[in-house]
Amino acid sequence: MEKERIGIIFSPRVGSRKANKHWYDIQAYLTKKNVIYDFVQSEGSGSVERLTKMLCANGYHTIVLVGNDTSLNEAVNAVINYDRLPEDFAFGLIPNGPNNSFAHFWGATQDEYKRSVDTMIRRQVKKIDVGFLVYTGDDGIPYRRYFLNCINIGLGAKVADIMERYNLLTGSKALAMIPAAITNLINQKVLNIRMSADREDIDENVMSVCIGNCTGYGQTPNAIPYNGLLDMTLIYRPKFWHMAKAFWLLERGKFLNYRHVRPYRIREIEIEDISKAKVSIDGTLLDTKHPAPMRVGLEPESFNFIV
């Protein structure tokens, strides 16, 4: 395998016509820039991870995903768990569809795909941190899953899942905010969280928890994926009429100004109990009913990312 040949995974997460149009535009620009590449297309949930493993096994020095946070999570887990990568291996991202919080952190957007391709060609690499979650499966066995953006526990997990589903249906973040807001208003369920954050014991009744390696869909807006630390926000139950302000601050990146939020900056979290709360990782719900006890931490500078 020649080093300059790039392996590209296309993940059409939004309506097929719009997604394919975007991919045709990218292909045309790749051809114009004389990029040598092979590409594969995912067929659905779980296939990105399998395709990424296949490209790793075929010896590509550079793999690029055309996709969103959910497909990025699948790809990252495949790369991290592959133990025979070239020393100069690097991973890149061209955002496709809604829910691209990690790409937006680096200033990449779907409309500016030419900029993302040019960045890929330059292959300027930065080592970034990768978060990990160790959780308990329904079989009682501990599992380990990696993330680049965030983990949500409680209401935040439900809202992230609803936004992902409606984004897929509508292709619009703005429209997806409507059912997410309704869910937020209806399901203000308080849950008891028992955890230790860098050995500080926390036993609180909260509505939601977000642990971010990056912006966490606005809930950890100051998180940086290369400082060796995680950001965490505990979100307490507000008064019904305060919810509009919460969404307003969330959209403007000022969520930490919300009076019902308590922020932390930490290295590791041991979570003993989360009641019966849902848990999502990079926007996808865990498929286990009782994931606690859980452990969340970082592997610093463990991933070569093209920026």
Side-chain angles (χ1 to χ4, degrees):
M1 175 68 63
E2 60 267 46
K3 290 181 63 174
E4 65 272 16
R5 183 173 292 275
I6 298 171
I8 298 179
I9 305 165
F10 170 49
S11 177
R13 286 283 179 179
V14 294
S16 59
R17 183 180 301 175
K18 184 176 180 180
N20 289 333
K21 169 72 165 56
H22 187 221
W23 172 238
Y24 296 149
D25 292 340
I26 294 170
Q27 280 186 306
Y29 191 66
L30 289 169
T31 300
K32 179 180 178 181
K33 302 294 284 190
N34 298 315
V35 176
I36 303 172
Y37 71 95
D38 300 314
F39 92 93
V40 290
Q41 179 171 330
S42 70
E43 305 87 25
S45 178
S47 65
V48 170
E49 194 159 347
R50 175 180 57 81
L51 292 172
T52 305
K53 289 178 182 177
M54 181 187 74
L55 293 180
C56 289
N58 279 278
Y60 288 89
H61 289 245
T62 305
I63 296 176
V64 174
L65 172 72
V66 181
N68 68 355
D69 284 339
T70 303
S71 48
L72 176 62
N73 181 270
E74 294 182 32
V76 166
N77 276 272
V79 170
I80 292 291
N81 287 314
Y82 196 83
D83 59 2
R84 297 191 303 277
L85 293 172
E87 288 186 8
D88 63 344
F89 177 84
F91 190 90
L93 175 65
I94 300 174
N96 179 49
N99 286 358
N100 265 295
S101 183
F102 193 75
H104 293 165
F105 174 85
W106 303 98
T109 65
Q110 178 173 303
D111 293 337
E112 296 180 336
Y113 64 88
K114 292 181 180 180
R115 179 183 173 189
S116 296
V117 171
D118 291 340
T119 299
M120 179 188 75
I121 293 170
R122 289 196 302 272
R123 206 176 185 274
Q124 180 177 329
V125 173
K126 184 175 184 64
K127 284 190 173 295
I128 63 172
D129 305 333
V130 177
F132 67 81
L133 167 67
V134 178
Y135 65 96
T136 306
D138 289 335
D139 53 8
I141 297 174
Y143 290 88
R144 189 182 185 94
R145 192 79 186 168
Y146 295 93
F147 65 96
L148 288 181
N149 191 20
C150 68
I151 293 169
N152 282 294
I153 304 171
L155 181 59
K158 291 183 180 179
V159 170
D161 181 59
I162 288 169
M163 288 193 67
E164 169 72 7
R165 293 173 185 271
Y166 276 84
N167 271 326
L168 294 179
L169 290 173
T170 66
S172 169
K173 180 181 177 181
L175 290 176
M177 286 290 289
I178 297 172
I182 293 171
T183 301
N184 207 343
L185 290 171
I186 295 173
N187 294 286
Q188 294 190 50
K189 184 179 179 180
V190 172
L191 55 115
N192 181 252
I193 294 283
R194 295 202 307 273
M195 66 173 77
S196 173
D198 287 348
R199 299 186 179 180
E200 176 188 344
D201 291 335
I202 299 172
D203 189 342
E204 298 276 5
N205 292 320
V206 300
M207 192 169 65
S208 186
V209 178
C210 182
I211 304 168
N213 180 47
C214 195
T215 57
Y217 306 112
Q219 296 171 83
T220 52
N222 295 335
I224 300 170
Y226 47 83
N227 66 350
L229 294 167
L230 292 163
D231 280 20
M232 179 173 73
T233 54
L234 301 185
I235 304 165
Y236 297 85
R237 182 174 181 175
K239 299 294 184 182
F240 182 82
W241 53 87
H242 290 162
M243 297 303 298
K245 184 177 180 180
F247 271 88
W248 186 84
L249 292 170
L250 183 68
E251 279 295 292
R252 283 154 182 78
K254 299 179 180 180
F255 192 61
L256 298 185
N257 294 340
Y258 189 43
R259 62 183 296 183
H260 299 284
V261 168
R262 184 191 299 175
Y264 293 81
R265 180 156 281 181
I266 48 185
R267 296 184 183 277
E268 188 170 280
I269 306 136
E270 298 277 352
I271 302 173
E272 180 183 345
D273 185 42
I274 58 171
S275 302
K276 296 181 180 180
K278 298 287 187 181
V279 178
S280 72
I281 182 165
D282 284 344
T284 300
L285 290 177
L286 290 182
D287 59 352
T288 182
K289 295 180 180 178
H290 305 288
M294 303 187 295
R295 182 166 64 94
V296 184
L298 274 181
E299 294 190 0
E301 297 187 349
S302 62
F303 198 70
N304 290 325
F305 192 72
I306 300 172
V307 299

